[in-house]
PDB file of all heavy atoms in Angstrom:
ATOM      1  N   VAL A   4     167.469 109.534 132.256  1.00 95.00           N
ATOM      2  CA  VAL A   4     167.694 108.684 131.087  1.00 95.00           C
ATOM      3  C   VAL A   4     166.404 107.940 130.712  1.00 95.00           C
ATOM      4  O   VAL A   4     166.099 107.717 129.540  1.00 95.00           O
ATOM      5  CB  VAL A   4     168.849 107.675 131.302  1.00 95.00           C
ATOM      6  CG1 VAL A   4     168.917 106.668 130.213  1.00 95.00           C
ATOM      7  CG2 VAL A   4     170.163 108.439 131.443  1.00 95.00           C
ATOM      8  N   LEU A   5     165.615 107.590 131.713  1.00 93.00           N
ATOM      9  CA  LEU A   5     164.372 106.824 131.511  1.00 93.00           C
ATOM     10  C   LEU A   5     163.149 107.759 131.473  1.00 93.00           C
ATOM     11  O   LEU A   5     162.006 107.271 131.451  1.00 93.00           O
ATOM     12  CB  LEU A   5     164.200 105.785 132.581  1.00 93.00           C
ATOM     13  CG  LEU A   5     165.365 104.790 132.694  1.00 93.00           C
ATOM     14  CD1 LEU A   5     165.105 103.792 133.817  1.00 93.00           C
ATOM     15  CD2 LEU A   5     165.582 104.038 131.390  1.00 93.00           C
ATOM     16  N   GLY A   6     163.349 109.048 131.471  1.00 88.00           N
ATOM     17  CA  GLY A   6     162.291 110.038 131.432  1.00 88.00           C
ATOM     18  C   GLY A   6     161.350 109.802 130.225  1.00 88.00           C
ATOM     19  O   GLY A   6     161.836 109.514 129.111  1.00 88.00           O
ATOM     20  N   GLY A   7     160.067 109.844 130.447  1.00 90.00           N
ATOM     21  CA  GLY A   7     159.100 109.643 129.369  1.00 90.00           C
ATOM     22  C   GLY A   7     158.728 108.179 129.219  1.00 90.00           C
ATOM     23  O   GLY A   7     157.793 107.841 128.445  1.00 90.00           O
ATOM     24  N   MET A   8     159.383 107.288 129.900  1.00 95.00           N
ATOM     25  CA  MET A   8     159.073 105.848 129.858  1.00 95.00           C
ATOM     26  C   MET A   8     158.112 105.530 131.032  1.00 95.00           C
ATOM     27  O   MET A   8     158.139 106.252 132.025  1.00 95.00           O
ATOM     28  CB  MET A   8     160.302 104.988 129.961  1.00 95.00           C
ATOM     29  CG  MET A   8     161.251 105.138 128.785  1.00 95.00           C
ATOM     30  SD  MET A   8     162.623 103.968 128.934  1.00 95.00           S
ATOM     31  CE  MET A   8     163.634 104.504 127.579  1.00 95.00           C
ATOM     32  N   MET A   9     157.354 104.479 130.875  1.00 96.00           N
ATOM     33  CA  MET A   9     156.527 104.014 131.989  1.00 96.00           C
ATOM     34  C   MET A   9     157.424 103.279 132.961  1.00 96.00           C
ATOM     35  O   MET A   9     158.085 102.304 132.595  1.00 96.00           O
ATOM     36  CB  MET A   9     155.423 103.108 131.470  1.00 96.00           C
ATOM     37  CG  MET A   9     154.491 102.640 132.567  1.00 96.00           C
ATOM     38  SD  MET A   9     153.035 101.712 132.021  1.00 96.00           S
ATOM     39  CE  MET A   9     153.808 100.298 131.253  1.00 96.00           C
ATOM     40  N   GLY A  10     157.488 103.721 134.195  1.00 95.00           N
ATOM     41  CA  GLY A  10     158.384 103.142 135.161  1.00 95.00           C
ATOM     42  C   GLY A  10     157.665 102.625 136.400  1.00 95.00           C
ATOM     43  O   GLY A  10     156.563 103.121 136.749  1.00 95.00           O
ATOM     44  N   VAL A  11     158.227 101.606 137.010  1.00 96.00           N
ATOM     45  CA  VAL A  11     157.750 101.067 138.245  1.00 96.00           C
ATOM     46  C   VAL A  11     158.926 100.829 139.163  1.00 96.00           C
ATOM     47  O   VAL A  11     160.048 100.619 138.719  1.00 96.00           O
ATOM     48  CB  VAL A  11     156.942  99.754 138.056  1.00 96.00           C
ATOM     49  CG1 VAL A  11     155.672  99.972 137.251  1.00 96.00           C
ATOM     50  CG2 VAL A  11     157.794  98.690 137.406  1.00 96.00           C
ATOM     51  N   SER A  12     158.643 100.855 140.483  1.00 96.00           N
ATOM     52  CA  SER A  12     159.696 100.562 141.416  1.00 96.00           C
ATOM     53  C   SER A  12     159.126  99.880 142.642  1.00 96.00           C
ATOM     54  O   SER A  12     157.932  99.983 142.930  1.00 96.00           O
ATOM     55  CB  SER A  12     160.424 101.843 141.832  1.00 96.00           C
ATOM     56  OG  SER A  12     159.537 102.697 142.547  1.00 96.00           O
ATOM     57  N   ASN A  13     159.988  99.117 143.319  1.00 96.00           N
ATOM     58  CA  ASN A  13     159.636  98.480 144.582  1.00 96.00           C
ATOM     59  C   ASN A  13     160.889  98.560 145.480  1.00 96.00           C
ATOM     60  O   ASN A  13     161.741  97.705 145.335  1.00 96.00           O
ATOM     61  CB  ASN A  13     159.200  97.038 144.375  1.00 96.00           C
ATOM     62  CG  ASN A  13     158.744  96.372 145.626  1.00 96.00           C
ATOM     63  OD1 ASN A  13     158.916  96.910 146.730  1.00 96.00           O
ATOM     64  ND2 ASN A  13     158.196  95.195 145.505  1.00 96.00           N
ATOM     65  N   PRO A  14     160.924  99.562 146.365  1.00 96.00           N
ATOM     66  CA  PRO A  14     162.101  99.700 147.198  1.00 96.00           C
ATOM     67  C   PRO A  14     162.187  98.624 148.306  1.00 96.00           C
ATOM     68  O   PRO A  14     163.192  98.487 148.951  1.00 96.00           O
ATOM     69  CB  PRO A  14     161.929 101.076 147.801  1.00 96.00           C
ATOM     70  CG  PRO A  14     160.467 101.376 147.737  1.00 96.00           C
ATOM     71  CD  PRO A  14     159.971 100.637 146.504  1.00 96.00           C
ATOM     72  N   ASP A  15     161.114  97.861 148.499  1.00 92.00           N
ATOM     73  CA  ASP A  15     161.047  96.895 149.597  1.00 92.00           C
ATOM     74  C   ASP A  15     160.865  95.459 149.134  1.00 92.00           C
ATOM     75  O   ASP A  15     160.295  94.647 149.839  1.00 92.00           O
ATOM     76  CB  ASP A  15     159.940  97.307 150.545  1.00 92.00           C
ATOM     77  CG  ASP A  15     160.064  96.660 151.927  1.00 92.00           C
ATOM     78  OD1 ASP A  15     161.227  96.413 152.373  1.00 92.00           O
ATOM     79  OD2 ASP A  15     159.048  96.334 152.498  1.00 92.00           O
ATOM     80  N   ALA A  16     161.300  95.117 147.936  1.00 94.00           N
ATOM     81  CA  ALA A  16     161.177  93.745 147.430  1.00 94.00           C
ATOM     82  C   ALA A  16     162.067  92.799 148.254  1.00 94.00           C
ATOM     83  O   ALA A  16     163.037  93.208 148.830  1.00 94.00           O
ATOM     84  CB  ALA A  16     161.561  93.682 145.954  1.00 94.00           C
ATOM     85  N   THR A  17     161.698  91.543 148.266  1.00 92.00           N
ATOM     86  CA  THR A  17     162.411  90.545 149.030  1.00 92.00           C
ATOM     87  C   THR A  17     163.903  90.429 148.584  1.00 92.00           C
ATOM     88  O   THR A  17     164.789  90.291 149.435  1.00 92.00           O
ATOM     89  CB  THR A  17     161.756  89.154 148.888  1.00 92.00           C
ATOM     90  OG1 THR A  17     160.404  89.282 149.301  1.00 92.00           O
ATOM     91  CG2 THR A  17     162.475  88.123 149.753  1.00 92.00           C
ATOM     92  N   THR A  18     164.152  90.534 147.294  1.00 92.00           N
ATOM     93  CA  THR A  18     165.529  90.350 146.737  1.00 92.00           C
ATOM     94  C   THR A  18     166.331  91.644 146.786  1.00 92.00           C
ATOM     95  O   THR A  18     167.537  91.621 146.492  1.00 92.00           O
ATOM     96  CB  THR A  18     165.435  89.858 145.312  1.00 92.00           C
ATOM     97  OG1 THR A  18     164.631  90.795 144.548  1.00 92.00           O
ATOM     98  CG2 THR A  18     164.815  88.486 145.251  1.00 92.00           C
ATOM     99  N   GLY A  19     165.713  92.796 147.074  1.00 95.00           N
ATOM    100  CA  GLY A  19     166.396  94.083 147.100  1.00 95.00           C
ATOM    101  C   GLY A  19     165.450  95.114 146.545  1.00 95.00           C
ATOM    102  O   GLY A  19     164.263  94.896 146.435  1.00 95.00           O
ATOM    103  N   ALA A  20     165.988  96.288 146.198  1.00 97.00           N
ATOM    104  CA  ALA A  20     165.193  97.375 145.626  1.00 97.00           C
ATOM    105  C   ALA A  20     165.164  97.212 144.113  1.00 97.00           C
ATOM    106  O   ALA A  20     166.207  97.032 143.483  1.00 97.00           O
ATOM    107  CB  ALA A  20     165.781  98.708 146.010  1.00 97.00           C
ATOM    108  N   ILE A  21     163.989  97.304 143.522  1.00 97.00           N
ATOM    109  CA  ILE A  21     163.824  97.086 142.085  1.00 97.00           C
ATOM    110  C   ILE A  21     163.313  98.332 141.387  1.00 97.00           C
ATOM    111  O   ILE A  21     162.427  99.030 141.905  1.00 97.00           O
ATOM    112  CB  ILE A  21     162.816  95.936 141.800  1.00 97.00           C
ATOM    113  CG1 ILE A  21     163.310  94.666 142.465  1.00 97.00           C
ATOM    114  CG2 ILE A  21     162.580  95.730 140.320  1.00 97.00           C
ATOM    115  CD1 ILE A  21     162.269  93.527 142.447  1.00 97.00           C
ATOM    116  N   VAL A  22     163.911  98.625 140.223  1.00 96.00           N
ATOM    117  CA  VAL A  22     163.438  99.704 139.341  1.00 96.00           C
ATOM    118  C   VAL A  22     163.350  99.113 137.943  1.00 96.00           C
ATOM    119  O   VAL A  22     164.244  98.394 137.498  1.00 96.00           O
ATOM    120  CB  VAL A  22     164.422 100.920 139.356  1.00 96.00           C
ATOM    121  CG1 VAL A  22     164.048 101.916 138.285  1.00 96.00           C
ATOM    122  CG2 VAL A  22     164.425 101.579 140.715  1.00 96.00           C
ATOM    123  N   ALA A  23     162.275  99.450 137.233  1.00 96.00           N
ATOM    124  CA  ALA A  23     162.097  99.030 135.844  1.00 96.00           C
ATOM    125  C   ALA A  23     161.364 100.085 135.080  1.00 96.00           C
ATOM    126  O   ALA A  23     160.526 100.824 135.644  1.00 96.00           O
ATOM    127  CB  ALA A  23     161.334  97.701 135.793  1.00 96.00           C
ATOM    128  N   ALA A  24     161.653 100.181 133.815  1.00 97.00           N
ATOM    129  CA  ALA A  24     160.989 101.118 132.934  1.00 97.00           C
ATOM    130  C   ALA A  24     161.026 100.617 131.502  1.00 97.00           C
ATOM    131  O   ALA A  24     161.959  99.893 131.133  1.00 97.00           O
ATOM    132  CB  ALA A  24     161.648 102.495 132.985  1.00 97.00           C
ATOM    133  N   ILE A  25     160.008 100.974 130.753  1.00 96.00           N
ATOM    134  CA  ILE A  25     159.960 100.587 129.327  1.00 96.00           C
ATOM    135  C   ILE A  25     159.262 101.708 128.557  1.00 96.00           C
ATOM    136  O   ILE A  25     158.364 102.379 129.081  1.00 96.00           O
ATOM    137  CB  ILE A  25     159.262  99.221 129.135  1.00 96.00           C
ATOM    138  CG1 ILE A  25     159.469  98.718 127.712  1.00 96.00           C
ATOM    139  CG2 ILE A  25     157.801  99.308 129.499  1.00 96.00           C
ATOM    140  CD1 ILE A  25     159.164  97.288 127.534  1.00 96.00           C
ATOM    141  N   GLY A  26     159.698 101.894 127.316  1.00 94.00           N
ATOM    142  CA  GLY A  26     159.104 102.922 126.484  1.00 94.00           C
ATOM    143  C   GLY A  26     159.001 102.528 125.020  1.00 94.00           C
ATOM    144  O   GLY A  26     159.631 101.527 124.627  1.00 94.00           O
ATOM    145  N   THR A  27     158.254 103.265 124.242  1.00 93.00           N
ATOM    146  CA  THR A  27     158.136 102.968 122.825  1.00 93.00           C
ATOM    147  C   THR A  27     159.161 103.725 121.989  1.00 93.00           C
ATOM    148  O   THR A  27     159.394 103.355 120.856  1.00 93.00           O
ATOM    149  CB  THR A  27     156.718 103.324 122.305  1.00 93.00           C
ATOM    150  OG1 THR A  27     156.480 104.716 122.599  1.00 93.00           O
ATOM    151  CG2 THR A  27     155.653 102.465 122.992  1.00 93.00           C
ATOM    152  N   SER A  28     159.783 104.721 122.561  1.00 91.00           N
ATOM    153  CA  SER A  28     160.849 105.450 121.835  1.00 91.00           C
ATOM    154  C   SER A  28     162.186 105.166 122.518  1.00 91.00           C
ATOM    155  O   SER A  28     162.272 104.850 123.669  1.00 91.00           O
ATOM    156  CB  SER A  28     160.547 106.947 121.798  1.00 91.00           C
ATOM    157  OG  SER A  28     160.471 107.459 123.115  1.00 91.00           O
ATOM    158  N   THR A  29     163.224 105.362 121.720  1.00 94.00           N
ATOM    159  CA  THR A  29     164.596 105.057 122.218  1.00 94.00           C
ATOM    160  C   THR A  29     165.216 106.286 122.868  1.00 94.00           C
ATOM    161  O   THR A  29     165.158 107.360 122.338  1.00 94.00           O
ATOM    162  CB  THR A  29     165.475 104.605 121.022  1.00 94.00           C
ATOM    163  OG1 THR A  29     164.897 103.469 120.449  1.00 94.00           O
ATOM    164  CG2 THR A  29     166.904 104.280 121.471  1.00 94.00           C
ATOM    165  N   SER A  30     165.790 106.073 124.042  1.00 94.00           N
ATOM    166  CA  SER A  30     166.519 107.107 124.759  1.00 94.00           C
ATOM    167  C   SER A  30     168.014 106.970 124.497  1.00 94.00           C
ATOM    168  O   SER A  30     168.569 105.867 124.665  1.00 94.00           O
ATOM    169  CB  SER A  30     166.254 107.012 126.264  1.00 94.00           C
ATOM    170  OG  SER A  30     167.096 107.895 126.974  1.00 94.00           O
TER     171      SER A  30
END
């Protein structure tokens, strides 16, 4: 669903596992 967007993740964050993505076009 987030393919083509710039994504970042942190599986070891203090609060839990984090995933984020943002793009200029709508999915």
Side-chain angles (χ1 to χ4, degrees):
V4 171
L5 304 178
M8 295 184 187
M9 182 173 61
V11 296
S12 65
N13 183 351
D15 197 33
T17 304
T18 57
I21 300 171
V22 171
I25 191 164
T27 57
S28 59
T29 302
S30 171

